[in-house]
Each structure stands twice: as structure tokens, then as C-alpha cells.
Amino acid sequence: MVEEAKEKTSTESNTSSEEKKVAHPITQVQVTQQKPQVSAAVPPRAVVSPAPRPTPTVAAPATRPPPPQMVGRRNFVKALVTIAAVLSIVPFVPWGSFLSSSVGNAGSYKRQKVVIDAKSVYGAAAGQVVNVNDLNTFPPDSHWVITYPSSGDATLDAQNPDTFVKYELIRLPAGALGGDTKNASAFVAFSKVCVHLWCSPNYNPDPAHQQYECPCHGSIYEVPEGLAKYGPAAQQDAPTNAIPMLTLTADPNGDLNVEIPLWDVEHNGVLGYGRDYLSYRNYIKPAALGGS
Amino acid sequence: MAQKTDDSNRNLVVKLYRWLVDGLERTVYIGVQYTFPKRFVSPLGYLGVLTGIVFLVLGITGGLLMIYYQPTLTGCGSLTCAFSSVQKINDVVPYGWLLRNIHYTASNAMVLLAILHMYYQYFSGRFKIKNEVLWVTGIILGIITGVEAYTGYDLIFNQRAGLAIEIGSGLTNAPPVIGGPLRLATFGAGFTDFVLRLYSAHVFILPMVMLILVFIHFPRYMVFDIPVVSTVVGAIFIIAAFFPVPVSTQYDPTVGALTIPEWYLTGLYALLRTEFDKFVMGGLMPGLLFLMALVIPFVDTSKKLNWKDRPFFTALGITSIAQILITTAWGFYINPDASLPTLDRLLVPPDLYFGSMIGVTVLSFVLTYAFLRYLKAKERVRKAVAPTAPLLTRKWVYFLFVLLILAQVAFNGLAAAAGAAADAAKVAQTNPLPFDSLTLFDVGAVLVTFGVLIHLYRYSQNLPF
Ligand code: FES
């Protein structure tokens, strides 16, 4: 409380240093009350209520006020010091991106061939590089899990439980959605992290479904754009109502590739957050998905 | 600090102690006056110190757990390293099970003690004796304690951690503008980063912040009551022995689990499940509660200390307790109709929820005012209490001393035997759990016995010869 009282006098009365030395009566009272009493286990300290303390006034001690130009100069110097202090903090603000960087320990984001995680359930497709021309290994209306960024070893990837590096690779159903065309547009790769509460959705190839379904609270994303059309994710405001996705392209020989993603809502989306599906539409249009 | 006294006729231990105390004169510790009470004083007055002691227990056990815990996901085969290393601590490492369970129970105890400490200070009006800075740092410490507990149980990456991840996603994704950077700062680029970040927060950043705040929050008078401290720590051991926490199964984001988070988070969980905006419910609502708690000393400025003389603030306090209980209870609520989809089962019906919150507010105020009026009506005249004769004579005290020492010896023996049996079971790959919990119970019992013994000693010092 001593400190507080001091602070009060210094902030509320803009006085010279000689004035401050003359302790204000109120300050003095509080100083005396502050003396600790060493007695019982929990000694009742002087019961000072935190009731509003009478504010010290400038006029109380009778000392000669400093000439006005002195005060002005002093205030000017104080302002300079404050500016200097702020300037010495400002350069550290961008350092916050050390914390909020999306680089992480997952690996580096490079253009990468699409390789199916080496899991036995995927049979012949396990550990294989996806080729858009191979309709036997990668038939329409099927789905696999891929890892991006990959460790380069499909077996290790398969063991990685971090769903933030997992994507559901879906070859769209044949027909209207064009899953049987032999180019990259036959495929989509949706994030395995639901934008609702981060469970892992799966593609349901059942002809009555043919959509991306989350097991936790029943969010359903349509294919191929990944916009939630049902469940809690659908109730969220745009852009948090569409699942982030990877941009896929095909090499001349048909090998499928992941293009380096842009992790913001206008492009590939923010994992576990969302994607503006309309902006993404415009983003991939010039990328000429139909082949290349 | 201790006064300088004539040391000439003191023994070496006392001299050494005095030398140390005098040496501390110029350090931070000078601000702290501590007492070893000569007789039993109610621990209500120093719940804060007890919270600090439990923090110490957490620091020690936590530091030891760090030796085996691995804060990564990949590289440990089919299970995550985070999860499998906790399994290893639990099942294989000697005394790992004990340390983990002490750490877990102590974390619960710390949250509980902190809450009790705050409410005692609030209702007794004792916070008015101290200044506002102590109260405000106390509230901040309380919040950090909660965050610390939250970061801790996420590290296991088990099913329950998954639920905490859900809450975390709801909270960090939701706020406007800062939501994105906040999410990245907390979770990084994925669960691997998430575990590492929470780990660094849990074992270093948050405890450091807490330590700094503790130095502000320290009252000038600290009561260090050995019997109570020893009993509290012993009790934590014993509770941990009786209610061990399983490692459970690894977090699996591919299944919708209907689990319930730790009791101090269910309130938040209920708020998040009311189908309203995640930020409003999970961020602003709890924020409002903390803000209310923060401004208390600036609003309740009357000179009255006793809760009976501050009807409004007493009613407010009761309301807050009632509301916390109600939200917590809602947090445990899952629609029993198993035929419904998961989301519908998890939905906390907002009309019922907010209805119950408003209802309980009105009820708390009405009841508090009615009760206080009733108290005033039958203001009793207190009779002077006649001094009672001491309960025990010296002879009995000495007899009990011997008994307690014998009990300590017995518990020690049992603990050693059970510890050896647990080790043997781990080697033989049979279930070590009964032996582990017996060991923990025995060690707890040793500590409680010590507490009782010291209390008896101090009691005997006050007896007439
Ligand atoms: S996490 Fe997918 S619906 Fe809730």
C-alpha cells in the first residue's frame, strides 16, 4: 500500500521532486499502518478498508511551484522516453509469428507425388503412387488416406497418427462427377480434420451417400467441393463451413501430385478451421485441373 | 524475519538455522513472515499456502515424470510416443505408477484448494484486509492453474485428451480476428506440434509465470503448519491409491466418443454444447465470470468483513457457486436416448440450460436474503465458553506417541514389502496394480501418521506438567 500511495501522489499530482519528498499526510498514515505486527498465527492486520481513499491534492504542501516552461520541458522529455520505450517493444511484435507459424514439425511443404499410406486394408493400392490412368488400382467411388507432407516412407506415414497431416483421397464416382475421367479432376483430397471439433471424417462410397461424413457429430460434406451441407459444420459461418483440401495435378504420365498448398481460407484452407469454397473455386480454375 | 537472539546457549542445529535465516535477510524471502503455529489453527486461513505446497508436490512429481515422458507422436510404432510413454510410466517403470497418480490427484487437489481458498477469502471478507493486487493476482493464478491442469492431461493423448482437444479447438478457432493466429500458436501445424507446445507450456512456461505471480501473491504472513501439510500430502497419496486413474485408450479421432472431461472443465463443456456461437459460449461467458471475480475488491468496498453483513455479495457468491455447480452438472449430461445421433445426445438444450441458470440465480438471492433475515431475527447472545480441561494427560500422549511410531514402522515395512512385490510383478509381467496402490497407501499413511504425531507433540508442549 505504500507503493500505491506513492504512485497515487506521483501520478495524480504532477509535481516537482522536492514536493514529493514532503510526504503527504495521507501517505504518512498509511506508512504507519503498514508496520507488520508479528504475533499470532494469522495476525489481524490493521483493518484498512479498501474504501475509496481521499485523493491527495496538489495544493497541500506549500512549496514553490516550478516555472511553467520547466514543466513543459519535463513533460516533453517524459513523452520522448515513453515513445522510446514503445519503440523498443514494437520490433518484437512480429516475433509472435514464431508461435503462430504454420511451419510446425510436420515436415516441409513441397510439391509431392501422391502416395497411398501403406496400410493392408488398401490392398494393391497400399504404398503406391497414384496414377490417374490406373482405373483398376484406383477405381472410381473409392477412398484412401494419404499423408502430406509425407516422410517419404509410406509405411512410416501409415503409422503417423497426426490427423493434421492426413487427407482423404477420393476418386469421385463415375458419371456426373467424372470419377472415371483420366485426369486430376477425378480426384479430391479432403483434410481428415473436421472443421467442427477436429474428428476425422470418412468418405462414404454408398451410392445413397457418396459424401464425406464425420463420425462424431454427423457433419456431412458434399463432394467434390467439400462444403458442409448437414450437421454442425454446416451451421458454422463461412468460411468455417468447408473442409480444407489439397490441390491436385497430374503429370503427363498420369502420376498425381500435391501442389504446394497456400494455408489460408481463400486458398487451400486452414486445417481444422475452414476454407472459403467460392474463393477456392476461382483459385483452381486457372490451374487447369483437367489434365496438364 | 526471525529476530536475532542470543545464540550462546543454543545447539548447533538451531545456530545453523539462525545463520540461514539471517542470511536470507537480503533476499526475496525477507518479505515473508512464516509461523509454525504452536497450536492447531484452522487451515481455512492458509488454504493458499496449502495450494502452494501441492504445487510443490506437482513440481517434484512432474519433474520426475518428464524423465520418461516423450512429447511426440511418431516414432514409437503403432501407438503415439506420448501415449505409449505414459503407458510405460504407468506399467513398467518402478514407482512410475505412484508418481503419475500422485501427480494426477495432486492436480485435482490444487484446483480444488485454489477454489476453496478463493471462496473462503471472499465470504470471510479477509481479502479486504489485504490489497487488491493480491486478489487480482490470485484470480489470475487460479485461471493459470486451470490452464495448467488442462495442458497436463492433454499430454497423454488418450481419449480424454481428445475431448480436451475438442474444447481447445472450439475455443481457439472461435474468436474473431485473433482466432487464426491463436489457434496456430496453441496447436501449431498439427497434433505433433500441439503436444510439444502444450508440453513446453505445461512444464515450463506456465509454472514460471505462476512462480512470478506467486511472489506477488505471497502474503506477508505464511503459516507453515507441519501437521496439516503432512496430512494433506499424505491424504493426496491415499486418495491416489484408492482412485487410480487409468491411462485409458489412445485418442482416436475416427470415432465419436461420448466421454466427459475432468470435473473442472465440464462447465465449459456444457457451455460449448448449447448450439450457440462457440466464441460467445466458450470464450465470452467464462470470461465474464472471471471479469466479475477480478473486480470484486473494487466493488465490494464496504468496511464490513463478515458475510452476514454483506448480503448482496454473499448472495452473489452463493449464486456463483450454484451456477458453477449447475453448469458442471450439465457438463456431465448426455441425452440417455441412445437411438439419437451423437450430436443430439450431446446437445445441452439451451432453454433448459439458461432457464436453470437464471432460476438458480433468483433462488440463490432469495434464499440468501431470507436466511440472513432469519439469522438477524434470532440473534443469539453468545455465552462465554468455559475453559475445558485438556483432553489427554501426558501419560496418554506418550502412550500415543509410541503407538504412532509403531504404526509408522509398520507402514514403512508394508510399503517396502509392497514396493518390492510391485517390482517383482513388473518383472514377471503380472499385474502390479494392487502392490503399487498398497505402496502408495502405505506411504500416504506414513505421512498422515507423521502429521498426527507432530500435532500431538505440539499438544503435549502446552500441557501442564
Ligand atoms: S467433429 Fe466433425 S461433426 Fe463434430
Side-chain angles (χ1 to χ4, degrees):
Chain A
M1 272 183 244
V2 187
E3 295 79 23
E4 269 175 34
K6 266 190 203 150
E7 204 174 43
K8 272 226 158 105
T9 28
S10 66
T11 49
E12 293 187 10
S13 58
N14 200 355
T15 52
S16 71
S17 52
E18 311 101 273
E19 273 178 345
K20 270 184 219 153
K21 270 181 216 144
V22 185
H24 189 274
I26 286 161
T27 322
Q28 255 178 353
V29 171
Q30 282 172 349
V31 170
T32 42
Q33 278 169 344
Q34 201 51 36
K35 291 238 169 86
Q37 304 161 341
V38 194
S39 58
V42 188
R45 292 235 247 121
V47 183
V48 186
S49 78
R53 301 183 194 88
T55 36
T57 43
V58 193
T63 354
R64 188 168 45 85
Q69 77 270 27
M70 279 268 282
V71 174
R73 211 173 292 159
R74 212 165 265 152
N75 283 344
F76 177 66
V77 171
K78 269 186 194 157
L80 282 188
V81 170
T82 313
I83 291 170
V86 170
L87 283 179
S88 341
I89 294 168
V90 164
F92 292 99
V93 173
W95 291 37
S97 57
F98 176 84
L99 271 180
S100 58
S101 139
S102 59
V103 172
N105 299 291
S108 48
Y109 300 115
K110 296 184 294 246
R111 187 170 194 267
Q112 171 192 307
K113 282 220 158 65
V114 177
V115 179
I116 307 293
D117 276 5
K119 281 199 169 151
S120 53
V121 287
Y122 297 143
Q128 295 303 306
V129 175
V130 179
N131 192 296
V132 295
N133 303 321
D134 188 348
L135 283 163
N136 290 325
T137 324
F138 309 104
D141 202 19
S142 345
H143 60 116
W144 310 266
V145 172
I146 62 168
T147 304
Y148 183 84
S150 166
S151 65
D153 178 334
T155 313
L156 277 186
D157 284 346
Q159 288 178 353
N160 188 344
D162 190 344
T163 48
F164 277 76
V165 296
K166 296 291 178 181
Y167 298 82
E168 184 98 330
L169 180 73
I170 303 164
R171 183 151 203 168
L172 301 170
L177 291 171
D180 47 356
T181 53
K182 292 183 174 175
N183 60 39
S185 69
F187 291 84
V188 287
F190 289 153
S191 161
K192 286 294 269 184
V193 185
C194 181
V195 296
H196 177 227
L197 293 175
W198 297 357
C199 279
S200 274
N202 297 300
Y203 178 70
N204 187 341
D206 185 316
H209 290 250
Q210 295 186 331
Q211 55 202 6
Y212 196 44
E213 301 175 346
C214 183
C216 287
H217 319 106
S219 285
I220 290 174
Y221 305 85
E222 48 78 39
V223 290
E225 287 200 289
L227 180 69
K229 58 174 185 186
Y230 181 78
Q235 284 163 20
Q236 295 179 165
D237 296 335
T240 62
N241 61 350
I243 193 100
M245 62 195 291
L246 296 173
T247 306
L248 303 171
T249 55
D251 284 344
N253 71 352
D255 281 356
L256 202 57
N257 283 281
V258 178
E259 296 297 328
I260 298 174
L262 292 168
W263 297 124
D264 53 45
V265 286
E266 274 87 43
H267 299 97
N268 295 88
V270 176
L271 296 176
Y273 180 70
R275 176 175 53 94
D276 185 341
Y277 80 105
L278 289 173
S279 313
Y280 184 74
R281 225 186 243 173
N282 296 329
Y283 165 58
I284 52 163
K285 235 179 230 156
L289 275 186
S292 111
Chain B
M1 289 263 103
Q3 306 94 327
K4 287 224 176 201
T5 41
D6 181 20
D7 274 2
S8 51
N9 55 356
R10 309 240 172 204
N11 66 31
L12 195 65
V13 178
V14 175
K15 271 186 195 163
L16 197 67
Y17 172 74
R18 286 262 171 256
W19 170 80
L20 187 65
V21 167
D22 291 341
L24 291 177
E25 196 84 9
R26 281 159 183 274
T27 65
V28 202
Y29 297 96
I30 188 174
V32 185
Q33 308 234 349
Y34 50 88
T35 359
F36 303 105
K38 291 272 187 294
R39 54 183 75 234
F40 181 79
V41 286
S42 164
L44 288 176
Y46 58 89
L47 283 170
V49 176
L50 290 182
T51 313
I53 302 242
V54 176
F55 178 66
L56 216 67
V57 172
L58 285 163
I60 296 166
T61 49
L64 291 170
L65 290 171
M66 280 170 74
I67 293 171
Y68 289 98
Y69 174 72
Q70 293 175 285
T72 54
L73 296 191
T74 46
C76 294
S78 58
L79 288 175
T80 63
C81 291
F83 181 76
S84 66
S85 64
V86 176
Q87 260 186 342
K88 188 167 127 192
I89 291 171
N90 200 65
D91 303 336
V92 184
V93 180
Y95 291 88
W97 184 92
L98 281 78
L99 288 169
R100 186 176 99 80
N101 277 288
I102 295 169
H103 196 72
Y104 169 79
T105 308
S107 77
N108 276 297
M110 184 170 166
V111 174
L112 190 68
L113 282 170
I115 293 172
L116 292 179
H117 173 51
M118 182 193 77
Y119 274 113
Y120 179 72
Q121 294 289 323
Y122 179 80
F123 284 118
S124 68
R126 286 167 67 114
F127 70 91
K128 298 184 176 188
I129 304 172
K130 321 243 167 74
N131 66 35
E132 296 89 346
V133 172
L134 290 197
W135 174 269
V136 170
T137 45
I139 296 292
I140 297 173
L141 269 171
I143 297 170
I144 300 182
T145 305
V147 178
E148 177 72 356
Y150 162 80
T151 54
Y153 85 85
D154 286 5
L155 295 181
I156 308 173
F157 215 67
N158 59 5
Q159 202 59 58
R160 245 189 183 178
L163 208 98
I165 289 168
E166 276 190 11
I167 292 179
S169 74
L171 291 190
T172 60
N173 261 344
V177 188
I178 60 155
L182 183 67
R183 189 194 66 81
L184 276 172
T186 344
F187 288 88
F191 287 139
T192 311
D193 289 13
F194 166 67
V195 169
L196 266 168
R197 275 160 197 251
L198 291 199
Y199 182 63
S200 98
H202 184 73
V203 306
F204 185 76
I205 299 171
L206 294 175
M208 274 301 136
V209 175
M210 284 170 91
L211 275 183
I212 292 166
L213 288 176
V214 157
F215 274 110
I216 304 171
H217 187 71
F218 256 167
R220 284 168 193 234
Y221 301 96
M222 261 183 32
V223 180
F224 190 80
D225 192 35
I226 296 170
V228 171
V229 168
S230 188
T231 308
V232 164
V233 176
I236 288 174
F237 282 30
I238 291 173
I239 293 169
F242 277 113
F243 303 99
V245 55
V247 187
S248 169
T249 49
Q250 181 167 297
Y251 169 55
D252 182 0
T254 57
V255 290
L258 290 172
T259 41
I260 297 297
E262 215 61 77
W263 57 273
Y264 42 79
L265 281 177
T266 50
L268 200 57
Y269 190 48
L271 281 168
L272 277 173
R273 281 161 38 189
T274 49
E275 86 177 3
F276 288 111
D277 184 73
K278 283 188 270 187
F279 174 57
V280 175
M281 299 313 293
L284 291 188
M285 293 282 279
L288 196 70
L289 183 77
F290 289 127
L291 196 73
M292 272 172 65
L294 277 178
V295 300
I296 284 298
F298 305 98
V299 183
D300 184 4
T301 51
S302 72
K303 284 186 182 157
K304 293 170 184 139
L305 297 186
N306 196 318
W307 55 276
K308 288 179 203 152
D309 306 324
R310 299 150 54 214
F312 176 77
F313 286 98
T314 302
L316 195 69
I318 298 284
T319 305
S320 73
I321 295 179
Q323 286 199 344
I324 289 170
L325 289 180
I326 292 275
T327 26
T328 304
W330 273 114
F332 284 103
Y333 165 84
I334 286 177
N335 194 324
D337 184 356
S339 64
L340 289 173
T342 313
L343 188 71
D344 295 341
R345 294 191 66 194
L346 280 175
L347 177 78
V348 170
D351 43 347
L352 287 183
Y353 176 78
F354 288 107
S356 61
M357 290 292 262
I358 293 168
V360 89
T361 307
V362 175
L363 199 70
S364 308
F365 266 85
V366 170
L367 284 184
T368 312
Y369 273 93
F371 182 66
L372 288 180
R373 176 162 297 182
Y374 164 79
L375 274 188
K376 202 159 263 174
K378 56 168 289 208
E379 197 101 288
R380 286 157 301 175
V381 186
R382 287 225 183 130
K383 287 178 216 141
V385 190
T388 46
L391 213 60
L392 296 170
T393 62
R394 260 175 191 272
K395 215 171 84 187
W396 278 105
V397 168
Y398 292 147
F399 177 66
L400 283 177
F401 263 172
V402 175
L403 266 190
L404 287 173
I405 301 250
L406 285 180
Q408 268 204 327
V409 171
F411 283 131
N412 262 302
L414 272 174
D423 279 353
K426 279 167 191 172
V427 172
Q429 305 215 334
T430 55
N431 183 16
L433 184 72
F435 304 113
D436 269 336
S437 50
L438 187 61
T439 319
L440 190 51
F441 171 80
D442 290 331
V443 179
V446 167
L447 292 178
V448 172
T449 318
F450 178 71
V452 175
L453 199 142
I454 297 291
H455 175 66
L456 213 60
Y457 168 74
R458 132 177 107 181
Y459 180 84
S460 74
Q461 296 300 95
N462 294 325
L463 281 180
F465 274 93

